């Protein structure tokens, strides 16, 4: 379908639209294939509730760091949770970390029975913010993911982030080795390597990663999104 859009773009998209408003760099690449010039492409069209999630206190104290690796999202095939769980159970020493899965969906029953895993139902954003405040890191093992606003939320919350490199939002909010680690989607070995590498770091490095996430989260805010739109309307 995407290649079909590329083929017909000059007959439809560029005739009907003066600009494209996209999420991030992966979408910019596609917009260029559609024939739009750089000045016709607006960034960024998605923002987390920065005020809510940036209100979460940054982790500061060593020896009190919460060892909870949190996933938030739909329990469905495209989120790659079964790959994560299979990788998780093969880690011989999880360093007292617990995996917390928050959400719901068709794969719910398949997620039960794994060691050191807690499952919670989906909840309002205010409660999600509370869960992220109790978290030590965030993980998103998606097999396919055009953007993933939840990565921005986790960055705002000041959490180290582990994510598959197919997630569009990592281009903006995850610097591999600086504020988290990237891994290959649907690859249990790659997931396990990233998780083990992270949980074996000294606590001070977790704290530093969280601070870096908070810095990166400021690249997109609701006000910056609004300013981008107003620039075109002027």
């Amino acid at each position: 379908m995407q290649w079909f859009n590329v083929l017909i773009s000059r007959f439809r998209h560029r005739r009907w639209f003066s600009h494209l408003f996209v999420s991030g760099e992966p979408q910019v690449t596609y917009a260029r294939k559609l024939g739009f010039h750089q000045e016709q492409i607006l960034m960024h069209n998605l923002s987390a509730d920065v005020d809510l999630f940036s209100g979460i206190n940054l982790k500061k104290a060593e020896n009190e760091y919460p060892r909870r690796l949190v996933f938030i999202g739909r329990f469905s095939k495209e989120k790659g949770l079964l790959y994560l769980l299979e990788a998780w159970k093969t880690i011989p020493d999880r360093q007292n970390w617990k995996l917390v899965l928050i959400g719901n969906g068709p794969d719910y029953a398949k997620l039960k029975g794994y060691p050191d895993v807690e499952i919670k139902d989906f909840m309002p954003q205010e409660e999600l913010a509370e869960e992220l405040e109790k978290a030590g890191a965030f993980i998103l093992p998606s097999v396919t993911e055009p953007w993933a606003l939840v990565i921005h939320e986790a960055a705002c919350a000041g959490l180290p982030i582990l994510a598959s490199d197919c997630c569009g939002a990592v281009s903006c909010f995850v610097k591999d080795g600086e504020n988290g680690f990237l891994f290959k989607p649907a690859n249990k070995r790659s997931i396990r390597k990233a998780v083990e590498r992270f949980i074996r770091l000294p606590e001070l490095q977790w704290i530093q990663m969280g601070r870096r996430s908070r810095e990166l989260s400021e690249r997109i805010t609701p006000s910056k999104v609004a300013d981008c739109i107003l620039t075109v309307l002027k």
Side-chain angles (χ1 to χ4, degrees):
M1 187 59 169
Q2 288 186 340
W3 281 111
F4 178 73
N5 280 331
V6 170
L7 292 174
I8 67 171
S9 176
R10 68 188 182 94
F11 302 108
R12 188 175 67 173
H13 298 82
R14 283 179 288 167
R15 180 181 299 177
W16 293 349
F17 305 105
S18 62
H19 295 77
L20 281 187
F21 199 13
V22 302
S23 305
E25 290 300 332
Q27 290 74 30
V28 170
T29 301
Y30 184 56
R32 294 300 296 271
K33 290 178 180 178
L34 291 176
F36 288 87
H37 301 297
Q38 192 66 41
E39 64 271 14
Q40 296 175 290
I41 304 170
L42 309 180
M43 302 255 290
H44 298 270
N45 70 348
L46 292 174
S47 176
D49 186 339
V50 173
D51 289 341
L52 173 64
F53 291 100
S54 293
I56 293 172
N57 292 326
L58 290 172
K59 279 65 174 176
K60 297 179 181 178
E62 294 183 70
N63 303 318
E64 297 179 7
Y65 198 95
R67 300 192 175 208
R68 293 165 64 85
L69 180 59
V70 174
F71 163 90
I72 299 172
R74 181 169 167 77
F75 297 163
S76 54
K77 185 177 181 180
E78 67 273 11
K79 296 299 181 180
L81 285 172
L82 294 179
Y83 294 105
L84 169 60
L85 288 168
E86 288 297 312
W88 177 260
K89 76 175 184 180
T90 64
I91 298 174
D93 182 3
R94 303 183 191 92
Q95 304 287 321
N96 295 319
W97 278 78
K98 177 179 286 188
L99 181 61
V100 182
L101 309 178
I102 302 174
N104 52 42
D107 283 353
Y108 182 90
K110 300 177 183 178
L111 309 181
K112 298 181 178 181
Y114 288 88
D116 297 322
V117 175
E118 181 180 353
I119 302 176
K120 296 190 174 188
D121 198 11
F122 200 75
M123 57 191 71
Q125 281 209 319
E126 290 74 15
E127 294 179 33
L128 287 176
E130 293 176 5
E131 290 292 333
L132 291 180
E133 188 150 24
K134 295 184 291 184
F138 177 80
I139 189 164
L140 187 63
S142 298
V143 176
T144 176
E145 192 75 67
W147 186 246
L149 188 63
V150 69
I151 288 179
H152 189 192
E153 294 172 344
C156 289
L159 293 177
I161 299 170
L162 311 178
S164 56
D165 59 15
C166 72
C167 300
V170 302
S171 64
C172 195
F173 302 117
V174 183
K175 302 299 181 185
D176 194 34
E178 290 186 25
N179 71 314
F181 297 114
L182 300 177
F183 50 81
K184 297 297 180 185
N187 187 315
K188 290 180 284 188
R189 181 179 179 183
S190 182
I191 296 170
R192 171 178 168 168
K193 182 178 178 181
V195 172
E196 284 191 307
R197 185 180 177 189
F198 175 75
I199 64 178
R200 290 175 180 173
L201 292 174
E203 291 189 8
L204 179 59
Q205 197 161 345
W206 297 337
I207 293 169
Q208 292 170 340
M209 282 184 162
R211 291 172 182 167
R212 180 64 175 137
S213 286
R214 177 67 63 80
E215 291 173 359
L216 290 170
S217 75
E218 297 171 359
R219 299 177 70 180
I220 303 177
T221 66
S223 61
K224 289 180 180 179
V225 172
D227 288 343
C228 187
I229 297 172
L230 292 173
T231 299
V232 177
L233 295 177
K234 289 180 180 178

